[in-house]
Amino acid sequence: MTAAALWARIRPYPSAVAGAAIILALVLISLVTIVAIPYGQAVVQWRGGDGAWRMNPVNASPVWTNRLAGGNAPRTLRITGDADAVQRAPFEGGLQLRLPLAFDFPHDDFPSELTLLLTLTGTERAAFVEPVWQRPDGTEIRLGARRITGADRIALSQDRALEGRLGDVPHVALFADADDRARVMPGRYTLLIEAVLFDEGADLEAELLAFGRVHGLAGTDHLRRDLMLALLWGTPVALAFGLIAALGTTVTTLVIAAVGVWFGGLVDAVIQRLTEITMILPILPVLVMVGTLYSTSIWLMLGVVVALGIFSASIKMYRAMLLPLRRAPYIEAARAYGASDMRIVIRYMIPPILPVLIPSFVTLIPTYVFLEASLAVLGLGDPVLPTWGKLLNDAQTQGALFNGFYYWVIAPAALLMLTGLGFALLGFALDRIFNPRLRST
Amino acid sequence: MVQIADPGHGQEPPPGTQIAPNDARRREMTGLALFMARRIVALVLTVLVGVYMTIIIANVGGQVDDLRVIQIRADVSDAVRSDPGVAAADRLALIEAQVALEVERLGLDRPFVWRSLDYLRRAMLLDLGRAEQMSSDLGSRQVSAIITERLPATLLLFGTANVLVFVVSIVVALRLSRRYGSWLDRTIVALAPSSAAPGWFYGLFLILIFAFAWPLFPSGGMVAVPPPETALRYAMSVVHHMVLPVTAIFISSIFVSIYSWRTFFLIHSSEDHVEMARAKGLPDRMIEARYILRPTLPSIVTSFLLMLIGLWSGAIILEQVFNWPGLGTLLFQAIGFRDTPVIIGGVVIFAYLLALTVFLLDFLYAALDPRVRVATP
């Protein structure tokens, strides 16, 4: 059947069209992802190899939750001082610097973290630095003097002494309204950095990072990773796993069933017994066993799934369909012209029952997509690749639901559901198209 | 997906099986007995091979044994080094001696083939040996004690859910097949694809909604902590904890189950003998019971047991998600500990459960459909 003819038969079924559209969208996303973020790069990034996530907030919600909640949560702010505003006062053997980092903070939620990046250049000697926090109402908070050399990263949020002095975590206390400490005081803040440098040629650069509460379209996880990467890369992985597993198991099973039916006798008996053995082997426990004892590589898992699926229970079903074909006149004819056994099996026995199998093949794909997710949820996901299941697993181990990071669970779950739905919609409709007995219903 | 088996496909009663009515019953019973005996032998052989394959997979080429020896060596070294009473010069010798003892205790010095056969013999007799790391809640190290402690939890949860799904889907499907095309029917057909997701997946959402956002039910576990004193309250607490997992299983299989049964009944209710009964003016209830349900009984039973087979393996994750103290969670913990006897024990129990299900299937099949036992070669 050509694609056009198939399309003509699918079109009257809105659910099939919807399913096909979902699948097409997923395929497109996969292709774009693979081209835009090559496999190697995705793996390195997800492991945090190139420090790509340093500027991301921890556990930030997606930006769109802002709209949804009607709030105005901050994104990550990177504040670098205005070069003209820097006041330099040289003295004998050194330099005094006043470096203001001013910014507007109109948001109604606190930042999630405050970090000050200081880079000292042109000297080997240490410098004294004291940041002063100037709030919109004119009050000043001295954040404590420190000695720095070279490039330094001062995590203000982790400063226990400062926290003790302010009575709350610094990134909340510094922004809190004087009367109502649970609210943000909006307005223009300045972090004034007063520094004494002991070298005339020295200079200081400063950058304040006020990590936001929202980030990107997908949010971030506990390791500052952008979940978007895993959501995007999860798509081709899920589709490939589902498709290869479904194809691997159906095709091999079908060929084996046909071989058994055609040759009969001992071959058939052996196949039947092997099927019964595989029927009592619990697939998931065996997979879990392989995963823990050997490797959790997604390709090994795929191999085991296909290997266990070769002699699956569906052989019995295929046999029932193939048995009547064995005596069909056109097969007699094929034998008469001298067709080999394999030719009869591949060219004459399998094609007639393919249409009946396509729907169940399509509905089988999401089963394997979910199997991959299941393994990942059990902590047996692929060690390097970001997948939807691994997101769910991370979310579960980090207590995402308990902490209210719902986006972390909802996004991968929704994608899984969408994939399942797409294939299921198409499969169920194809079932009605290819199996006319159901069509009237 | 629910598979609905077509009974007796391609199995025609052989010609010339006319028997005198007196003898018929006795012959039938011996036929059934013979059939069952053959099936038992076949199944035992099947389980034997299956269990042996499990043992092989659990220990291909003795890799796991090597890992275990390394682990033993590390533990023993730690123990010896932290003992101030041992002179530094004696340490190495003592470590070697202790490692050798431990290796011998665990039987790691014998060739794998012999050990595997030994494992096999004991596994088949359900003498599952002693766990290496884990112990039951009562403190027993016997694998069988650990497993029997967990088995009821699994049976309770999945038994309840399955029976519920099965009964509801058959009843609803019968109704729907009588008035297909109604809005309810259309809704069910439209919802059938939702079963692409497994139970644990819906479980996540149920926990999200009914345990965190709107805390009506506990997010996991089997009974409140501390367990209630009286039996009635204990049972109430268990039921309370079961609501979410059972609902998860129910949602994930009910629609597709109803859909398949409805289609199945639709096909069967257009058979000639049903049309005939309808033409005679028999009441709907009688038509359903005698003309639709009875002839399709073998298929119904088969599907029920096939569904059981499918659900046994889904147990691990659902139990994990709901922290349900059943076999699945046990197996997962055992894998974390690399406790080979418990892993093998768990898989063996799963294999036995599956084999038992298959046996029941054969038995009911033969009891319900006379063609099967007569036609089996």
Side-chain angles (χ1 to χ4, degrees), chain A residues 273-294 308 313-314 317 320-321 323-324 359-360 363-364 366-367 370-375 377-380 389 392 396 401-403 406 409-410 412-421 423-426 428-429 431-432 437-438 440-441, chain B residues 1 3 9 39 42-43 45-51 53-61 63-64 67 180 185 189-190 192-198 200-202 204-205 207-208 212-213 256 259 262-263 266-267 271 306 309 312-317 320-321 331-332 335-336 338 343-344 347 350-352 354-355 358 361:
Chain A
R273 295 298 89 73
L274 279 174
T275 310
E276 275 156 25
I277 291 169
T278 330
M279 262 174 84
I280 66 147
L281 274 186
I283 290 189
L284 201 62
V286 169
L287 274 178
V288 171
M289 199 162 79
V290 170
T292 24
L293 297 181
Y294 301 104
L308 283 178
S314 28
M317 193 178 79
M321 295 183 200
L323 272 170
S360 61
T363 32
L364 197 62
T367 318
F370 275 100
L371 183 69
E372 190 271 324
S374 310
L375 287 171
V377 168
L378 285 178
L380 298 173
L392 287 176
Q396 214 188 2
L401 295 184
F402 189 73
N403 291 318
Y406 299 126
V409 175
I410 289 174
L415 278 170
L416 274 171
M417 193 69 233
L418 199 67
T419 314
L421 201 66
F423 283 104
L425 282 175
L426 186 66
F428 273 80
D431 203 25
R432 268 178 278 170
R437 272 185 103 177
L438 308 175
S440 60
T441 62
Chain B
M1 285 217 53
Q3 293 177 352
H9 202 109
R39 288 304 300 157
L43 270 173
L45 283 175
T46 317
V47 173
L48 197 75
V49 180
V51 169
M53 277 170 70
T54 312
I55 292 171
I56 300 279
I57 299 173
N59 203 340
V60 174
Q63 272 174 4
V64 178
L67 281 178
Y180 68 89
D185 184 49
V189 172
S194 69
S195 300
W200 64 262
F201 184 80
Y202 291 105
L204 285 181
F205 285 97
I207 292 178
L208 182 81
F212 288 110
V256 80
Y259 173 80
R262 151 200 173 277
T263 314
L266 267 178
I267 292 171
E271 298 264 334
L306 280 180
I309 292 179
W312 285 128
S313 48
I316 296 186
I317 296 180
Q320 183 74 5
V321 167
L331 195 60
F332 188 68
I335 284 166
R338 310 214 167 226
I343 299 175
I344 295 179
V347 180
F350 268 115
Y352 262 104
L354 289 181
V358 173
L361 183 77

Side-chain angles (χ1 to χ4, degrees), chain B residues 345-364:
Chain B
V347 180
V348 167
I349 290 293
F350 268 115
Y352 262 104
L353 281 175
L354 289 181
L356 202 69
T357 318
V358 173
F359 176 74
L360 256 170
L361 183 77
D362 284 337
F363 178 76
L364 286 172

Side-chain angles (χ1 to χ4, degrees), chain A residues 189-256:
Chain A
Y189 288 83
T190 310
L191 180 64
L192 178 67
I193 294 164
E194 297 179 342
V196 183
L197 277 53
F198 298 101
D199 201 328
E200 277 157 15
D203 199 9
L204 182 71
E205 276 173 38
E207 183 178 1
L208 177 67
L209 288 175
F211 289 105
R213 293 272 168 188
V214 294
H215 180 89
L217 281 176
T220 59
D221 66 3
H222 59 302
L223 299 173
R224 302 177 189 274
R225 296 180 296 197
D226 192 342
L227 296 185
M228 201 57 180
L229 177 70
L231 293 181
L232 283 178
W233 252 97
T235 319
V237 173
L239 288 186
F241 190 90
L243 203 68
I244 297 175
L247 211 61
T249 50
T250 358
V251 170
T252 48
T253 309
L254 186 56
V255 170
I256 287 170

Side-chain angles (χ1 to χ4, degrees), chain A residues 15 24 30 35 43 79 128 170 212 238-240 252 265 271-273 282 293 330 337 360 385 416 420:
Chain A
S15 62
L24 194 69
S30 309
V35 173
V43 169
I79 303 120
F128 276 111
L239 288 186
T252 48
I271 290 174
Q272 295 269 55
R273 295 298 89 73
L293 297 181
Y330 74 95
Y337 83 69
S360 61
L385 264 179
L416 274 171

Side-chain angles (χ1 to χ4, degrees), chain A residues 91-426:
Chain A
F91 61 86
E92 185 67 33
L95 177 71
Q96 204 174 4
L97 262 178
R98 283 168 68 86
L99 211 152
L101 300 176
F103 62 99
D104 285 316
F105 197 81
H107 305 285
D108 54 12
D109 198 355
F110 298 99
S112 62
E113 204 179 340
L114 272 183
T115 299
L116 182 59
L117 298 177
L118 293 173
T119 318
L120 191 60
T121 49
T123 180
E124 294 293 305
R125 310 172 78 172
F128 276 111
V129 174
E130 178 163 35
V132 180
W133 189 254
Q134 297 174 332
R135 290 154 49 90
D137 58 359
T139 49
E140 277 192 3
I141 302 170
R142 304 194 84 80
L143 300 183
R146 42 195 103 214
R147 236 174 84 122
I148 61 154
T149 46
D152 223 337
R153 184 181 172 105
I154 300 172
L156 293 172
S157 294
Q158 267 100 52
D159 191 333
R160 293 278 163 256
L162 186 62
E163 184 179 335
R165 194 145 57 85
L166 296 172
D168 205 341
V169 277
H171 56 264
V172 172
L174 292 176
F175 288 91
D177 194 291
D179 302 323
D180 180 3
R181 294 180 71 91
R183 278 187 44 215
V184 177
M185 176 193 290
R188 192 165 178 82
Y189 288 83
T190 310
L191 180 64
L192 178 67
I193 294 164
E194 297 179 342
V196 183
L197 277 53
F198 298 101
D199 201 328
E200 277 157 15
D203 199 9
L204 182 71
E205 276 173 38
E207 183 178 1
L208 177 67
L209 288 175
F211 289 105
R213 293 272 168 188
V214 294
H215 180 89
L217 281 176
T220 59
D221 66 3
H222 59 302
L223 299 173
R224 302 177 189 274
R225 296 180 296 197
D226 192 342
L227 296 185
M228 201 57 180
L229 177 70
L231 293 181
L232 283 178
W233 252 97
T235 319
V237 173
L239 288 186
F241 190 90
L243 203 68
I244 297 175
L247 211 61
T249 50
T250 358
V251 170
T252 48
T253 309
L254 186 56
V255 170
I256 287 170
V259 165
V261 168
W262 179 246
F263 290 99
L266 188 64
V267 178
D268 197 28
V270 169
I271 290 174
Q272 295 269 55
R273 295 298 89 73
L274 279 174
T275 310
E276 275 156 25
I277 291 169
T278 330
M279 262 174 84
I280 66 147
L281 274 186
I283 290 189
L284 201 62
V286 169
L287 274 178
V288 171
M289 199 162 79
V290 170
T292 24
L293 297 181
Y294 301 104
S295 140
T296 52
S297 157
I298 200 168
W299 309 118
L300 176 72
M301 290 293 171
L302 191 59
V304 176
V305 168
V306 173
L308 283 178
I310 289 176
F311 290 99
S312 67
S314 28
I315 283 195
K316 304 245 172 203
M317 193 178 79
Y318 298 159
R319 258 175 64 84
M321 295 183 200
L322 286 163
L323 272 170
L325 285 184
R326 207 184 151 197
R327 305 238 169 273
Y330 74 95
I331 287 187
E332 290 284 319
R335 289 179 77 176
Y337 83 69
S340 70
D341 287 331
M342 274 336 273
R343 187 180 167 84
I344 292 177
V345 168
I346 303 289
R347 299 293 300 271
Y348 297 106
M349 292 193 64
I350 293 177
I353 66 163
L354 275 183
V356 190
L357 295 185
I358 287 174
S360 61
F361 168 75
V362 174
T363 32
L364 197 62
I365 294 173
T367 318
Y368 289 114
V369 172
F370 275 100
L371 183 69
E372 190 271 324
S374 310
L375 287 171
V377 168
L378 285 178
L380 298 173
D382 189 88
V384 294
L385 264 179
T387 64
W388 298 335
K390 276 178 81 179
L391 284 190
L392 287 176
N393 183 39
D394 284 347
Q396 214 188 2
T397 51
Q398 296 297 321
L401 295 184
F402 189 73
N403 291 318
F405 306 138
Y406 299 126
Y407 65 95
W408 201 346
V409 175
I410 289 174
L415 278 170
L416 274 171
M417 193 69 233
L418 199 67
T419 314
L421 201 66
F423 283 104
L425 282 175
L426 186 66

Side-chain angles (χ1 to χ4, degrees), chain A residues 320 323, chain B residues 6-13 371 375:
Chain A
L323 272 170
Chain B
D6 202 0
H9 202 109
Q11 281 169 330
E12 309 269 323
R371 287 174 301 180

Side-chain angles (χ1 to χ4, degrees), chain B residues 234-368:
Chain B
Y234 191 92
M236 293 282 284
S237 173
V238 171
V239 169
H240 192 221
H241 281 74
M242 270 171 69
V243 171
L244 286 190
V246 167
T247 315
I249 303 176
F250 190 76
I251 296 176
S252 81
S253 28
I254 189 69
F255 295 116
V256 80
S257 187
I258 295 180
Y259 173 80
S260 332
W261 283 119
R262 151 200 173 277
T263 314
F264 180 78
F265 287 135
L266 267 178
I267 292 171
H268 268 269
S269 50
S270 59
E271 298 264 334
D272 289 346
H273 67 271
V274 183
E275 299 288 348
M276 171 73 180
R278 210 163 273 148
K280 278 199 291 189
L282 291 181
D284 276 349
R285 200 155 286 279
M286 192 183 257
I287 294 177
E288 275 172 13
R290 289 200 194 158
Y291 293 85
I292 301 179
L293 280 180
R294 181 58 187 93
T296 52
L297 206 53
S299 313
I300 295 175
V301 171
T302 314
S303 315
F304 179 63
L305 292 172
L306 280 180
M307 188 170 78
L308 268 187
I309 292 179
L311 280 177
W312 285 128
S313 48
I316 296 186
I317 296 180
L318 193 92
E319 286 186 2
Q320 183 74 5
V321 167
F322 282 98
N323 207 4
W324 187 262
L327 263 189
T329 314
L330 173 76
L331 195 60
F332 188 68
Q333 287 167 345
I335 284 166
F337 282 116
R338 310 214 167 226
D339 203 329
T340 325
V342 181
I343 299 175
I344 295 179
V347 180
V348 167
I349 290 293
F350 268 115
Y352 262 104
L353 281 175
L354 289 181
L356 202 69
T357 318
V358 173
F359 176 74
L360 256 170
L361 183 77
D362 284 337
F363 178 76
L364 286 172
Y365 216 75
L368 293 171

